[in-house]
Amino acid sequence: PMDSVVRLEALAALPSEPGLRIGESGASAFSAWRTLPRVLLPLAGIVSGTFFGAGFLLWQQEQQHLVQEATARSEAVLREFRTDVASQAAALSMTTNALSGSSEIRNNLAAGDARALLTLWQPIMHALSREHGVSYSSLHSGDGRTLVRLGQQLGADDTSGRRLLREAMETGRARSGIELSRHGVPKLWVVSPLIKDGRMVGYAQFGTSILPLLQHRISPGVEIALLVRKDRLFRPAWESRTARGESWLSLPHAVVAY
């Protein structure tokens, strides 16, 4: 018994190692758990930032791809539409050239006989409208006076096509192009000089709306709208034919023509 007491006293007298005091290991573990959130929260922020950053980059790339695809599709539709307009203009020019060979039309143009020209022109216009979609036509004297004027919903105040007529009179050559009516209807016009015995006796003019050409270019995934600047329109004339529900005030600087 005395030996065991001596051993215990000897052990108690031994110097203890630093950090081996009673209860210190439990305190260290508790302190480590308290510091864990301070380590995990920044780490979670870094992971979340990386995730959302990668998602944003993917979204941005997808948006750029969509914009590029839409731009390419729009350019393709525009090229095809221009091709359609050129083909339509060529067809109208061929029609005008064929009619210009009529000696009756040239003789009556030279004489300025509007009544005889109207009699000759009406069946021709009906046939062209039915077979080739021609919507408007007119015959003009050599000095530009209108002798015959036929067309669907073609008002007396509709001066579209006059610019091309002036160009044909100035150059003596056939002209074609798109002009806008006061009602906001874009029309494709072709003007050809008519010559008799080497003298310019008048001009034949044909026109058609380009809206069917726009409709032809609508396809799945492709929608088309045609905007016209307001300074190119006469507001009362435009509003008089807009049974389509569009308001002049819908857009600040343009109206929806199609």
Side-chain angles (χ1 to χ4, degrees):
M2 290 298 295
D3 291 340
S4 60
V5 171
V6 171
R7 287 193 204 95
L8 289 173
E9 289 179 349
L11 287 173
L14 289 175
S16 61
E17 292 294 328
L20 293 180
R21 296 193 181 118
I22 297 174
E24 185 161 348
S25 60
S28 299
F30 179 72
S31 176
W33 278 105
R34 290 183 61 186
T35 59
L36 188 59
R38 294 199 296 268
V39 175
L40 290 180
L41 286 177
L43 182 60
I46 293 173
V47 173
S48 299
T50 303
F51 175 78
F52 287 111
F56 175 76
L57 288 176
L58 290 175
W59 176 83
Q60 191 176 41
Q61 291 175 355
E62 179 66 17
Q63 292 300 309
Q64 291 176 349
H65 173 72
L66 291 175
V67 169
Q68 291 173 354
E69 184 179 0
T71 301
R73 184 175 296 182
S74 298
E75 292 175 349
V77 170
L78 183 59
R79 286 195 302 270
E80 293 167 355
F81 173 70
R82 287 173 174 168
T83 301
D84 292 343
V85 170
S87 300
Q88 186 80 355
L92 288 176
S93 296
M94 291 176 61
T95 301
T96 306
N97 293 335
L99 290 174
S100 65
S102 169
S103 59
E104 288 184 289
I105 291 176
R106 288 181 294 173
N107 290 336
N108 285 293
L109 269 176
D113 192 339
R115 181 173 299 180
L117 286 171
L118 181 61
T119 302
L120 290 170
W121 203 247
Q122 279 182 325
I124 292 174
M125 178 60 188
H126 291 159
L128 291 175
S129 177
R130 183 179 61 255
E131 298 174 9
H132 301 288
V134 175
S135 303
Y136 317 96
S137 67
S138 55
L139 289 171
H140 309 275
S141 64
D143 58 2
R145 289 182 299 111
T146 301
L147 300 176
V148 175
R149 184 178 176 88
L150 298 174
Q152 303 170 1
Q153 299 178 349
L154 194 62
D157 62 342
D158 189 348
T159 59
S160 61
R162 299 297 297 184
R163 177 182 59 83
L164 290 172
L165 177 60
R166 289 194 299 269
E167 291 182 4
M169 293 174 64
E170 292 171 358
T171 62
R173 302 175 62 182
R175 308 296 294 177
S176 64
I178 296 175
E179 290 195 31
L180 191 68
S181 74
R182 298 174 60 178
H183 303 85
V185 178
K187 301 171 185 175
L188 174 63
W189 289 100
V190 172
V191 184
S192 290
L194 300 180
I195 300 173
K196 179 178 182 294
D197 299 330
R199 181 173 65 91
M200 188 80 65
V201 294
Y203 304 87
Q205 187 169 19
F206 295 96
T208 184
S209 172
I210 67 168
L211 298 186
L213 299 180
L214 291 174
Q215 294 171 350
H216 180 65
R217 285 297 153 200
I218 296 176
S219 61
V222 176
E223 296 183 1
I224 297 175
L226 177 63
L227 303 183
V228 178
R229 296 201 314 266
K230 290 181 179 180
D231 58 4
R232 301 291 302 275
L233 298 172
F234 181 57
R235 181 173 178 175
W238 186 84
E239 290 181 334
S240 68
R241 64 173 300 276
T242 52
R244 303 163 295 183
E246 291 91 353
S247 170
W248 181 269
L249 303 177
S250 297
L251 299 174
H253 305 297
V255 298
V256 181
Y258 174 80

